[in-house]
Amino acid sequence: MTAPSLAPGRTGVVGTARTRLEGRAKVTGAARYAGEVPFAELAHGWVATSSVARGRIRSIDTEAVLAMPGVLAVLHHGNAPRLRPGVGLFGPDATLQVLQDDRVPHVGWPVALVVAETPEQARAAAEALVVTYDEEPHDVAFSADHPGVYTPEARPPAPPDVERGDVDAELAGSAVVVDEEYTTPEEYQSPMEPHAAVARWENGRLEAIDSNQGSYAIAQYIAQLFFLDAASVRVTSEHVGGAFGAKGVRPHLVFAVMAATMLDRPVRVVLTRRQMFTMCGLRTPTAQRIRLGADADGRLRAVDHESVSYSSAIQEFVEQSTRPTRVLYATDALRARTRLVRLDVPTPTFMRAPGWAPGSYALESAMDELAERTGLDPITLRLRNEPAVAPASGLPFSSRNLAACFEEGARRFGWPDRDPRPGVRRDGRWLVGTGVAASAHAAMTAPSTATATAEADGTFTVRIAAADIGTGARTALHQIAVDALAAPPEAVRVRIADSDFGPAQFAGGSMGTASWGWAITEAAAALRERLALADEIPADGITVRADTSELVRARQPVERHGFGAQFAEVAVDPASGEVRVRRLLGVFAVGRVVNPLTARSQLVGGMIMGLSMALHEEGVRDTASGSLVNGDLAGYHVASNADVPPIEADWVDDPDTHNPTGIKGLGEIGIVGTAAAVANAVWHATGTRQRHLPIRLDRTLTR
Amino acid sequence: METNSSAISLRVNGETHALTVDNRTTLLDALREHLDLTGTKKGCDHGQCGACTVLLDGRRATACLQLAAAADGRTVTTIEGMADGDRLHPVQQAFLDFDGYQCGYCTPGQICSAIGVIEEHAAGWPSAVTADVRPEAGPPPLDADEIRERMSGNLCRCGAYVSIVRAVAEAAAQVAAGREAAGGQGSGAGGTRVTA
């Protein structure tokens, strides 16, 4: 057969709304997540965690627990398999080195795994396990002036320090200066599906079903950790119940592999909701000082952004909160500094729009304060400081269109009619206000491989180790494949989330669809070339593999980002301090949108997480015990249905040829800017600035 | 072991199951681990997230807060029991059509909850946002505010709420139209299957 010619993505199904391919399975309960696949002889592991914040394990009383009904094993640092050190997704990851020594670095650190015939037995035994500790003094109190604050080592994509021009001189010469500190608290990804994995040995091969963001890389790291041949490990993750950065390689999988290996039977390990709060990362709190210097007409002369965050005693993780400042506004002088302090706390990790989300809250709040002090409309101020090139790197943008987002958003939101004065609008007992903020997120692409097979029956199969963590990736990749193969949708199947499909980018950094889509496009093009020369398709089909490593590497350096403008209307009850968000609008420039239905869901979902960040989310750490006070979904409130008003998300044309698919990625940008838009709206409603998240009742009542 | 376990009977999705369960086993774990009905999800095990929502004797309940032994003899409808063969329940179809989900993990609970909401509303139950709760005022319109309030026991971290509200409103209208076509009000027994 020969394939008809059709330029990839030009016509066809990319850009049309499609319901999810796995939708029927999800609404009927048929979709099985990692902890839901049954196996004969399945054993259940339950993690026991430390109750102290720092110290050494003195003893673990395994004997009593081993005598309990159904208990098969108690793994601890004295008997667990040795792991290869220095393994991790982004450099050595100490959080994977569980049960390797007697050190306890924070409350909730895993100290043992109890394995039993049933989950009830495993849980009871884990709770009965007596562990004693030699405690050491701990420090979990985060602040920007902590004596331990230091400059972390440079790591991509953002070096800790950027300095262009003379910030101090420009500040001294500015007509208007804003100099404020903004803080954000501990925030937790909290995907609905707890981390789960089942591991088993099958014909000499380790097979794991895991809830994660990228099976290929995780299979590699598991192989390295356990001194195994890379080809002897397979990880699959067909359905993943949310991730938001928390589902890289996590201890639950390491435990499942340890136990399956020791017991030679399938072992499932599912973390409890409370354990997710201590073992799966979090967004570090930040303390950010922003100084803006401007001429009287609002033109920026100086931008100085310093962000301090924390990491754990065992691992350096840097929240790069100055990233928005490096791309958003033109300025004569720019200084961005990233600082870190190490505490006896769980190790932070990526959470939706790492750096961008907390950083934009600070920067976009400060810009609103500058608008107030210069007497300018907040949108006018931002448009006046649109840069020709990226302010930090000096590189051109692949495309930007932020101004178009503001203009379209302002028109739809009714912004031009806004009275700029704060605290003057009433609706019954409510004070009402509106606010705006810019959104930005990096639009990176990473190498991936994909295969495309022309089957003998005339259909096509595309395989790629992508992950669909709720993004709609499976459906979007199907659309891309359909167009690239110029085949009818029903003749194309896309299979994902299997490490055997070869190297592929993680579902992270808003890089998934762009990276995977490129590889699929290349594979499809190569397959069509092969088919043009083939007389017939053999019984086992014709398969080609594409690898975009060279293509990705060969690109010219350019600043590639998505941008957006977010608008919020809030009502504040001056008696109780309650804040209600009444509506949100986001208009984005995010390259080509593959599936408007699922893209809108992702953008709106990001904005809802942004609303939640603005009003609700705050991990509260007890300095005396070092533990998280509110580590469950009752204490750590995430936005519920009743918290969420009508929300609209849309996009402007944003052609970008830097990746041949034109895709920029939009999984994270929705959360960037929302919190500032809400905070700015609360100021507009009440006249009280909100420089600390979340915007609690007591904070709206304090002047 | 004898004293730590109970022989129970559960009627699940129209089928009666005789089970022997550990007394510590929750209804949620009985469904998932004993009956392999994994459509009912475990998000928190504390009744805080709503992912495990099922209809228990026709009313919404979080299966993680029920001990299986205490549910002996009761009737459970799970997500697996909502479709009529290949034909999805209107709520299921609306979640699919309106993209009322992303990762899908809270979805079975949301759908069971929405089906419960539609029944509760039809039975005249007020909610915390119902302006006029006098019986003679009749049921309030099932508008967006009512749906948001009544669906707030079901967390969705992906943030699909806006589409969920649309899906529930659409499905409720279809269910009501179906009832009218069938010539009467629903019995109020959750799990009543109404096709559009």
Side-chain angles (χ1 to χ4, degrees):
Chain A
M1 64 173 264
T2 55
S5 72
L6 177 71
R10 292 297 165 205
T11 57
V13 297
V14 167
T16 64
R18 298 275 155 155
T19 58
R20 292 171 202 261
L21 293 174
E22 74 284 7
R24 197 179 176 90
K26 282 182 174 173
V27 302
T28 57
R32 283 190 193 261
Y33 295 72
E36 300 177 340
V37 181
F39 290 98
E41 293 295 297
L42 180 66
H44 300 264
W46 205 280
V47 182
T49 59
S50 74
S51 56
V52 306
R54 186 184 172 97
R56 290 181 182 276
I57 297 166
R58 187 194 305 149
S59 68
I60 299 185
D61 184 9
T62 57
E63 222 167 282
V65 161
L66 283 167
M68 289 176 71
V71 173
L72 299 165
V74 179
L75 281 65
H76 53 85
H77 67 276
N79 66 359
R82 295 299 97 187
L83 301 171
R84 188 199 305 269
V87 175
L89 278 180
F90 303 94
D93 185 349
T95 68
L96 300 179
Q97 299 290 324
V98 291
L99 311 189
Q100 297 302 291
D101 59 37
D102 60 355
R103 291 236 45 117
V104 172
H106 60 79
V107 173
W109 173 256
V111 294
L113 181 79
V114 178
V115 190
E117 297 284 354
T118 74
E120 290 83 4
Q121 292 165 339
R123 177 184 185 168
E127 287 172 357
L129 185 68
V130 175
V131 182
T132 62
Y133 304 90
D134 291 320
E135 276 191 74
E136 297 165 11
H138 64 261
D139 179 8
V140 301
F142 171 71
S143 77
D145 49 14
H146 192 287
V149 169
Y150 71 100
T151 305
E153 61 180 272
R155 69 188 66 209
D161 287 17
V162 169
E163 183 119 25
R164 291 177 78 90
D166 188 337
V167 165
D168 296 322
E170 296 294 340
L171 279 171
S174 293
V176 185
V177 173
V178 170
D179 181 356
E180 298 293 350
E181 187 181 88
Y182 304 87
T183 65
T184 63
E186 288 182 10
E187 294 163 355
Y188 290 82
Q189 296 90 343
S190 306
M192 293 310 300
E193 180 207 15
H195 294 66
V198 57
R200 68 192 196 283
W201 283 92
E202 193 115 339
N203 303 321
R205 210 169 176 222
L206 178 68
E207 301 250 356
I209 306 171
D210 179 41
S211 179
N212 68 49
Q213 293 175 237
S215 288
Y216 177 81
I218 285 175
Q220 297 294 300
Y221 295 122
I222 289 297
Q224 291 170 27
L225 269 178
F226 286 90
F227 303 92
L228 299 169
D229 177 33
S232 66
V233 179
R234 180 183 181 210
V235 176
T236 57
S237 55
E238 187 68 35
H239 297 291
V240 180
F244 313 113
K247 288 183 177 169
V249 203
R250 287 292 164 196
H252 68 286
L253 175 60
V254 178
F255 282 129
V257 174
M258 278 182 172
T261 304
M262 284 177 74
L263 296 171
D264 197 22
R265 61 188 275 189
V267 176
R268 177 191 293 164
V269 176
V270 184
L271 298 187
T272 67
R273 177 60 56 179
R274 279 192 170 274
Q275 289 170 348
M276 291 170 69
F277 279 87
T278 69
M279 251 183 270
C280 302
L282 68 147
R283 191 189 324 266
T284 162
T286 68
Q288 303 177 59
R289 184 184 179 193
I290 303 241
R291 291 194 294 169
L292 303 177
D295 289 334
D297 65 357
R299 204 181 55 82
L300 283 166
R301 296 181 61 164
V303 176
D304 185 3
H305 186 173
E306 177 169 337
S307 177
V308 185
S309 60
Y310 79 41
S311 194
S312 68
I314 58 171
Q315 184 75 33
E316 183 177 83
F317 176 86
V318 184
E319 183 83 6
Q320 298 176 328
S321 298
T322 66
R323 294 188 71 187
T325 305
R326 300 172 190 221
V327 296
L328 270 175
Y329 302 114
T331 175
D332 294 328
L334 172 70
R335 182 192 288 149
R337 288 176 295 195
T338 309
R339 298 291 179 267
L340 203 61
V341 60
R342 306 289 282 276
L343 300 171
D344 302 310
V345 292
T347 306
T349 189
F350 310 100
M351 176 166 161
R352 202 173 201 169
W356 297 93
S360 79
Y361 160 68
L363 176 66
E364 290 299 287
S365 294
M367 285 296 280
D368 204 64
E369 301 207 37
L370 182 63
E372 179 195 355
R373 292 184 210 180
T374 54
L376 288 172
D377 176 80
I379 294 178
T380 306
L381 173 67
R382 288 176 171 87
L383 297 182
R384 191 157 291 173
N385 290 290
E386 266 287 287
V389 295
S393 69
L395 290 170
F397 293 101
S398 65
S399 66
R400 188 166 161 99
N401 292 311
L402 175 57
C405 295
F406 274 116
E407 282 154 16
E408 175 63 11
R411 188 184 65 75
R412 283 209 211 174
F413 193 75
W415 187 265
D417 303 329
R418 179 180 187 256
D419 178 346
R421 293 173 301 155
V424 297
R425 283 152 304 276
R426 285 228 175 228
D427 177 5
R429 73 173 200 271
W430 298 92
L431 288 164
V432 179
T434 53
V436 70
S439 304
H441 196 276
M444 297 187 289
T445 311
S448 289
T449 65
T451 63
T453 301
E455 310 286 0
D457 64 2
T459 65
F460 297 91
T461 307
V462 170
R463 292 179 175 84
I464 185 161
D468 191 333
I469 56 178
T471 54
R474 186 185 283 101
T475 310
L477 297 181
H478 181 257
Q479 291 175 265
I480 291 166
V482 164
D483 280 9
L485 290 162
E490 59 279 7
V492 178
R493 68 188 74 78
V494 170
R495 295 191 49 208
I496 64 168
D498 184 333
S499 62
D500 279 357
F501 297 162
Q505 165 61 17
F506 244 68
S510 294
M511 299 160 76
T513 305
S515 304
W516 305 322
W518 193 350
I520 288 174
T521 304
E522 292 296 323
L527 181 62
R528 290 174 68 188
E529 277 177 29
R530 282 277 298 277
L531 289 179
L533 304 172
D535 293 331
E536 61 178 32
I537 298 172
D540 58 350
I542 297 176
T543 296
V544 299
R545 171 176 291 273
D547 180 344
T548 58
S549 299
E550 289 305 318
L551 293 166
V552 170
R553 246 193 301 278
R555 293 184 307 168
Q556 295 302 310
V558 64
E559 290 277 355
R560 198 156 182 271
H561 301 267
F563 291 96
Q566 296 209 24
F567 298 77
E569 179 182 322
V570 306
V572 183
D573 183 341
S576 68
E578 181 184 6
V579 178
R580 300 287 302 172
V581 177
R582 290 189 162 185
R583 59 185 173 123
L584 292 176
L585 167 68
V587 178
F588 299 93
V590 282
R592 170 174 289 149
V593 171
V594 178
N595 184 344
L597 181 71
T598 53
R600 189 164 276 115
S601 290
Q602 268 202 292
L603 291 168
V604 169
M607 293 166 73
I608 289 174
M609 202 179 274
L611 180 159
S612 193
M613 172 186 179
L615 298 186
H616 307 309
E617 296 184 35
E618 179 176 29
V620 179
R621 196 157 290 278
D622 172 39
T623 52
S625 67
S627 64
L628 182 66
V629 174
N630 56 335
D632 61 37
L633 290 174
Y636 185 83
H637 182 66
V638 301
S640 72
N641 206 321
D643 296 312
V644 174
I647 299 180
E648 281 183 72
D650 213 338
W651 40 87
V652 297
D653 258 3
D654 183 38
D656 179 349
T657 56
H658 195 68
N659 169 328
T661 65
I663 297 163
K664 276 187 172 177
L666 42 72
E668 294 170 276
I669 193 169
I671 194 179
V672 183
T674 324
V678 170
N680 296 340
V682 170
W683 168 79
H684 189 233
T686 63
T688 305
R689 282 289 168 191
Q690 296 300 325
R691 301 191 184 100
H692 308 283
L693 292 184
I695 304 169
R696 298 190 312 240
L697 309 191
D698 57 311
R699 288 172 170 162
T700 60
L701 295 174
T702 315
R703 261 180 206 277
Chain B
M1 269 313 280
E2 290 300 305
T3 53
N4 295 331
S5 61
S6 301
I8 62 165
S9 160
L10 287 176
R11 189 159 176 81
V12 183
N13 301 331
E15 205 178 313
T16 302
H17 300 269
L19 297 172
T20 302
V21 293
D22 189 316
N23 288 340
R24 299 166 294 192
T25 302
T26 61
L27 175 59
L28 175 59
D29 283 336
L31 293 170
R32 287 167 62 86
E33 304 296 333
H34 293 252
L35 300 178
D36 198 30
L37 293 170
T38 55
T40 307
K41 303 304 182 192
K42 183 186 285 194
C44 71
D45 231 10
H46 283 55
Q48 298 166 345
C49 77
C52 65
T53 304
V54 296
L55 299 179
L56 187 59
D57 293 333
R59 286 173 58 172
R60 292 190 279 170
T62 44
C64 75
L65 293 187
Q66 304 280 335
L67 288 171
D72 181 25
R74 300 183 71 178
T75 298
V76 184
T77 311
T78 71
I79 189 69
E80 290 93 343
M82 293 303 179
D84 184 6
D86 283 342
R87 190 169 193 181
L88 296 178
H89 187 284
V91 173
Q92 292 173 309
Q93 188 65 49
F95 268 69
L96 210 164
D97 293 341
F98 288 82
D99 210 40
Y101 57 160
Q102 291 180 40
C103 78
Y105 199 77
C106 74
T107 308
Q110 300 274 2
I111 289 172
C112 288
S113 199
I115 291 169
V117 162
I118 292 169
E119 294 294 340
E120 290 159 20
H121 174 260
W125 296 16
S127 82
V129 299
T130 304
D132 189 345
V133 298
R134 293 171 305 141
E136 58 269 34
L142 193 56
D143 61 14
D145 279 342
E146 286 281 355
I147 293 170
R148 286 187 194 109
E149 174 62 28
R150 292 168 190 257
M151 289 295 294
S152 274
N154 294 82
L155 296 175
C156 168
R157 187 55 162 164
C158 297
Y161 298 127
V162 174
S163 305
I164 288 171
V165 171
R166 277 188 204 126
V168 175
E170 167 70 19
Q174 284 191 34
V175 170
R179 280 210 179 95
E180 216 152 280
Q185 290 290 305
S187 64
T192 305
R193 223 170 267 133
V194 185
T195 47

